[in-house]
Each structure stands twice: as C-alpha cells, then as structure tokens.
Amino acid sequence: GHQGKQVVISKGNLGALCIENTELSTQALLGEFKYMNQVDMSFKDSKTVQIQHSFTDQTTLPSIQHLLFASSYVMQMYGVLNDVYVLDTTGAGDAFIGGFLLGRFLSKVKDRSQFCLEFGCWVGGRKVQGIGARSSLPSALEVDDLLGRSIETVQMSLAKEIGEFCLDEDHDGAL
C-alpha cells in the first residue's frame, strides 16, 4: 500500500498526535469545471480520526486544464502516562521522540503507529518524574520490569498506563 508522510506532534501534557497520509490520487477533469475544496472527518474509535480531503485546481498543462486531488489521512491521538508527578520537564520532548523512534525501529506489531505513540508517551512520562534531562530515562531492564518482556505484554501494559488525549486547550497541566 501507499506509504505516505507521517507527522508526529507532541502536545506536552495534552498528549501526542500522529498524522499519516494513507492515500493520494490525482485525476484529470474533463468538461465543465467547478472549484471544490472538501474535508470529511469520521471517528474510527476514540483515538483514531479518518480524514478525507478533496480539492480541484487549475494546471499549467496545455492538454489538461483542471485536476482533482484526493488525499486520505489517519490521525491517531494518545494521552500521557497516568498518575505522574512532574519534577522536571527538561528533555521530555526528546524522551518522547526517542521512545517513539525506538518503538518504530524495534517493533513489528500490527498497528506500529499506536505502539510508537504509546511507548513515546510512556518514556516521556517516566522522564519528567526525575531531575535533569537523562537521569530518569528508563533503562532496558526497567522497561522489561515495568512493561514486560514480550511485545504483547508491553502493549497490554501501555494500554493500561496511557490516558486519553486531552482536547481541552485550557488543560491545567496536571498529569
């Protein structure tokens, strides 16, 4: 299938988003032309939004004057580690990205984006519980002890430990 661009946005104490382009198509339009720009969104579940975007535009090609562009996106939203006492946020974004990328390179799970977001949120959440940029980053042994050794156990543990994405911009910052 189509492997499009993937954008990850960390929203700090609100959670994280992952937006991935899943389909892109272009079609020449013949006959009467009508400008169009349409976005449709539907919730697949509480953490996943499917977005369809279609629009028309003129071209500089002599044989084709107008094109229809269609894109599909999947946006996944994940919260932060539950019940965290924040001591220091220095390095939290870096910890999140490190956990996300480690999950990306090491996991072969079905929904890799979900796993990577949850693992990134978990690593970032562990980091903010200590002072300094690196002192509270979890080691491999701590990951095994706290989440489990098998990928299935880690997934189940993450599902229990990661809260919902906070859609409230006025969120008070309490984790």
Side-chain angles (χ1 to χ4, degrees):
H2 173 75
Q3 289 293 319
K5 187 176 205 174
Q6 187 177 54
V7 177
V8 175
I9 303 166
S10 174
K11 296 289 287 171
N13 66 337
L14 300 177
L17 304 170
C18 180
I19 304 167
E20 186 171 3
N21 178 252
T22 56
E23 185 179 331
L24 178 63
S25 65
T26 307
Q27 176 183 341
L29 297 175
L30 305 174
E32 188 176 327
F33 175 72
K34 180 178 161 185
Y35 282 103
M36 176 188 74
N37 188 2
Q38 180 176 341
V39 176
D40 296 308
M41 294 176 35
S42 61
F43 281 85
K44 185 176 175 184
D45 55 44
S46 66
K47 295 180 179 182
T48 307
V49 178
Q50 292 185 303
I51 304 165
Q52 313 296 325
H53 182 209
S54 302
F55 64 95
T56 54
D57 203 357
Q58 294 179 324
T59 73
T60 57
L61 303 171
S63 59
I64 303 171
Q65 292 184 346
H66 302 95
L67 291 172
L68 170 65
F69 297 91
S71 294
S72 296
Y73 304 90
V74 172
M75 179 174 71
Q76 294 180 303
M77 305 175 285
Y78 289 89
V80 294
L81 186 61
N82 291 319
D83 303 320
V84 170
Y85 180 75
V86 177
L87 289 177
D88 184 2
T89 61
T90 303
D94 294 331
F96 167 82
I97 292 298
F100 180 90
L101 291 174
L102 182 64
R104 186 102 178 129
F105 291 118
L106 296 180
S107 76
K108 303 291 185 215
V109 297
K110 180 182 174 193
D111 192 345
R112 199 161 68 166
S113 294
Q114 173 184 343
F115 178 79
C116 295
L117 281 172
E118 288 179 339
F119 191 66
C121 288
W122 185 82
V123 172
R126 297 288 301 169
K127 189 268 137 269
V128 299
Q129 295 179 69
I131 301 295
R134 298 184 343 184
S135 64
S136 58
L137 288 173
S139 68
L141 183 59
E142 288 173 308
V143 171
D144 288 349
D145 287 347
L146 296 170
L147 296 178
R149 295 186 60 86
S150 73
I151 196 72
E152 294 83 11
T153 306
V154 171
Q155 284 180 290
M156 287 188 296
S157 297
L158 289 173
K160 292 176 189 171
E161 294 204 28
I162 301 298
E164 293 293 318
F165 182 80
C166 181
L167 295 172
D168 181 7
E169 286 293 329
D170 295 326
H171 185 58
D172 66 3
L175 296 176

